[in-house]
Amino acid sequence: MSGLEERERAVELYFTTPMTTAQVVEHLGYPTRQCLERWLAMDSRYAGHMAKPIIPLETRRRAVEPVPGCVLASWRPLCERCFSAV
């Protein structure tokens, strides 16, 4: 079986059964759960089902803000440039 056929088989099994990604991987013996999730993300039937990040973007932004008087405060301009693109 080719890689593309294996991929299609895994994705179809996920959509046609009540199995979770971990169960599909265990049943087939391939791929990894993360790989299957990437394959599912490329399938239009899976659109909108992707998990949201555990830590919201605004919390992640605040986590890199320097503490007043911190030695790393000189990194602040770099952080502002990085997050302005977000």
Side-chain angles (χ1 to χ4, degrees):
M1 189 179 306
S2 76
L4 183 57
E5 289 171 339
E6 290 177 342
R7 180 161 110 181
E8 289 174 358
R9 180 175 176 216
V11 169
E12 285 304 315
L13 186 62
Y14 176 82
F15 283 118
T16 59
T17 66
M19 288 190 213
T20 64
T21 53
Q23 291 169 328
V24 169
V25 169
E26 184 178 332
H27 177 76
L28 295 175
Y30 70 87
T32 63
R33 182 183 54 80
Q34 292 84 358
C35 186
L36 176 57
E37 289 171 355
R38 279 194 303 272
W39 293 349
L40 292 170
M42 291 185 283
D43 193 294
S44 61
R45 294 172 289 181
Y46 200 68
H49 290 88
M50 297 302 292
K52 293 182 180 175
I54 295 170
I55 303 171
L57 178 60
E58 189 55 39
T59 303
R60 289 183 280 158
R61 282 183 175 160
R62 278 188 261 126
V64 298
E65 289 180 5
V67 175
C70 177
V71 161
L72 301 178
S74 63
W75 290 19
R76 181 67 181 167
L78 174 64
C79 294
E80 288 176 345
R81 282 196 302 269
C82 293
F83 284 115
S84 65
V86 174

